[in-house]
Amino acid sequence: MPGLLRGVARTAVVAGTATAVSNRVSRRQQGRWAEQEYQQAQQQAAPQPVAPAPVASTAPLTDDMSSKIDQLKQLGDLKAQGVLTEAEFAEQKRRLLG
């Protein structure tokens, strides 16, 4: 009987140690994932600089018209990036063309 009791005790110790190690590894992984998500959220929250798009022209345009086209392209890029809402985009477009 003492040998059986010793075996049960050893099994309990091994199982407890394995559980403790497993829990520690899980907590460490969750911490790393949380840190990665935080860094990604910070990167997405930072405004991205918008480079003006080059104008591909086949016909000669007036300076005023090509300026408006450039501004419309920039507005479209801002809307595509989610910086402008649909309503803000429409308002700015109306001001530019109006």
Side-chain angles (χ1 to χ4, degrees), residues 1-92:
M1 202 68 164
L4 180 62
L5 188 57
R6 190 177 311 159
V8 170
R10 184 180 304 146
T11 302
V13 169
V14 169
T17 303
T19 301
V21 170
S22 175
N23 289 341
R24 182 171 181 239
V25 169
S26 294
R27 281 193 304 271
R28 193 173 347 151
Q29 285 178 341
Q30 288 175 351
R32 286 180 185 165
W33 293 336
E35 179 66 27
Q36 287 175 353
E37 289 175 359
Y38 175 77
Q39 289 175 355
Q40 288 174 353
Q42 291 299 321
Q43 289 174 352
Q44 291 174 355
Q48 301 284 335
V50 178
V55 176
S57 173
T58 56
L61 299 173
T62 64
D63 287 337
D64 184 47
M65 183 59 85
S66 63
S67 172
K68 286 183 181 183
I69 290 173
D70 288 339
Q71 290 175 349
L72 282 172
K73 287 181 180 179
Q74 289 176 350
L75 286 174
D77 289 341
L78 289 172
K79 181 182 159 227
Q81 293 175 0
V83 176
L84 292 178
T85 64
E86 183 67 38
E88 292 170 331
F89 174 75
E91 174 63 23
Q92 293 298 324

